[in-house]
Amino acid sequence: MRETSPDPIAPDHIDSRQVARAFDQAAGGYEQFAALQQEVADRLDAHLNFTKITPHRMLDIGCGTGFLSGRLRQRFPKADLLALDVAPAMCALCQRSLGKRRLPWQPRRMVVAGDARYLPMASGSCDLVASSLTMQWLPDPVAMLREMRRVLAPDGLLLFSTFGRRTLDMLRRTLASIAPEHAGRVLPFSDVMRLGDALQRQAVQLPVTDSDLMTLTYPDITALVRELKGMGASASAIRHRQGGLGGRKLLRQLAEAYPIDSDGRIHATFEVLYGQAWHKPAEYQHGAGVIPILEE
Ligand SMILES: C[S@@+](CC[C@H](N)C(=O)[O-])C[C@H]1O[C@@H](n2cnc3c(N)ncnc32)[C@H](O)[C@@H]1O
């Protein structure tokens, strides 16, 4: 029998148009709330310290305001960079940020609006296909992985980060303690094993996954919810069927139930998963890139 609970690797409840709208609205204030995203982009970029690659063309999928794009361009100034995002306001901000530090030989237009599931690039056209903290917003992350692999050039590297299942664990548990159905207000995130499995099923070689657990503290629950909204993770947009986190009554209940640390602050945990893999010619891969991960 098919399981009815949401599959963390293929959360069919995410509405991409709502996600695009939420990030479009959040774009202006995004950087103010995105210290975590900046740190993750830095750590993802640091994965390249251990790889031997000199890309000619790089792609950053779900570029946001351009944290990772900026890092990649700094690291490989001679390579062509293309950044892509589904939210037009994010594209505009990324274009502006990259434009400020453009070197004379780099093209003026580096950002395009598009969906990670249907990349507007030719197959095998990018040597470095990267993405930071975008995959968790896809209704079908495996479709994104497949597209990343499709546009990857021979000898190219695919590199990404996404949130893991332990992300916002305390928030989910506290919501469940208020009422079991409230736990569904927090997005289910990927499991590192299943993500690694999905990666391995693409036509890639040397796939590697690793994870970081990052703990952030906040003065109170309102500050945590404000930050989640500010970074575009507007719960009402993502889990619109369950309702958001913004209702006054729920916020009051959360404030009473969320554990307070000895210093009077609260904390939230973010599990960040990293994945990387090298291109492998499809003919060497059994069932390459065509097996969707579905729960039986
Ligand atoms: C959490 S932000 C991360 C942005 C940037 N990579 C960073 O690290 O700051 C997620 C980004 O993914 C974009 N996004 C969400 N769904 C997308 C999709 N289906 N295709 C392309 N971009 C998408 C959002 O618009 C948003 O800019």
Side-chain angles (χ1 to χ4, degrees):
M1 232 190 33
R2 184 105 197 257
E3 200 168 290
T4 48
S5 66
D7 177 353
I9 197 102
D12 62 359
H13 47 270
I14 295 180
D15 179 337
S16 281
R17 276 172 308 176
Q18 293 260 18
V19 170
R21 223 171 293 142
F23 278 106
D24 228 24
Q25 281 164 9
Y30 175 79
E31 291 201 352
Q32 183 188 335
F33 294 101
L36 175 71
Q37 281 79 353
Q38 183 145 29
E39 177 64 27
V40 173
D42 288 351
R43 291 186 189 197
L44 187 64
D45 169 67
H47 279 63
L48 291 164
N49 294 341
F50 310 104
T51 60
K52 232 178 156 192
I53 185 169
T54 312
H56 298 291
R57 185 186 248 193
M58 313 180 282
L59 172 64
D60 177 14
I61 305 171
C63 57
T65 55
F67 290 144
L68 182 63
S69 293
R71 284 268 163 262
L72 293 179
R73 212 176 51 172
Q74 217 172 344
R75 183 180 283 273
F76 302 115
K78 293 198 175 138
D80 278 348
L81 168 70
L82 199 58
L84 172 143
D85 201 285
V86 77
M90 287 292 193
C91 292
L93 289 170
C94 184
Q95 176 67 44
R96 196 190 306 164
S97 144
L98 292 174
K100 277 187 202 148
R101 287 164 283 154
R102 188 176 72 88
L103 297 168
W105 62 84
Q106 292 169 336
R108 272 181 204 287
R109 192 170 142 75
M110 287 163 273
V111 187
V112 292
D115 192 314
R117 292 168 298 170
Y118 317 101
L119 294 174
M121 281 102 206
S123 301
S125 58
C126 306
D127 316 278
L128 177 57
V129 179
S131 178
S132 189
L133 294 184
T134 294
M135 200 172 276
Q136 71 277 1
W137 300 118
L138 271 288
D140 181 2
V142 180
M144 174 169 169
L145 271 180
R146 269 203 299 273
E147 271 297 86
M148 290 177 86
R149 168 59 185 83
R150 181 185 67 76
V151 301
L152 192 65
D155 298 324
L157 180 71
L158 181 158
L159 181 69
F160 62 88
S161 62
T162 185
F163 283 129
R165 126 166 316 166
R166 285 181 287 171
T167 299
L168 295 174
D169 205 28
M170 183 63 79
L171 181 59
R172 193 178 288 108
R173 276 190 280 146
T174 308
L175 281 164
S177 75
I178 296 168
E181 65 274 16
H182 285 335
R185 292 174 189 253
V186 177
L187 203 64
F189 297 105
S190 297
D191 173 86
V192 68
M193 302 291 283
R194 301 190 70 205
L195 187 70
D197 200 37
L199 183 57
Q200 263 181 354
R201 286 173 192 267
Q202 309 306 310
V204 294
Q205 51 191 330
L206 304 176
V208 178
T209 50
D210 60 313
S211 67
D212 272 339
L213 210 53
M214 294 158 89
T215 301
L216 270 58
T217 72
Y218 302 86
D220 52 35
I221 192 73
T222 311
L224 169 59
V225 171
R226 196 185 311 127
E227 179 163 304
L228 292 176
K229 285 186 165 185
M231 59 168 80
S234 157
S236 57
I238 310 309
R239 306 306 308 268
H240 55 285
R241 280 181 231 151
Q242 281 85 3
L245 291 173
R248 275 205 202 130
K249 183 173 168 213
L250 184 60
L251 261 184
R252 234 184 359 256
Q253 290 173 311
L254 268 174
E256 279 163 20
Y258 203 99
I260 296 174
D261 298 341
S262 54
D263 60 359
R265 292 173 69 85
I266 65 162
H267 71 267
T269 302
F270 295 85
E271 184 186 23
V272 183
L273 309 182
Y274 304 92
Q276 76 170 58
W278 293 89
H279 178 280
K280 180 181 190 177
E283 60 266 34
Y284 297 126
Q285 178 83 6
H286 174 66
V290 294
I291 306 172
I293 306 290
L294 291 175
E295 299 236 312
E296 286 301 314

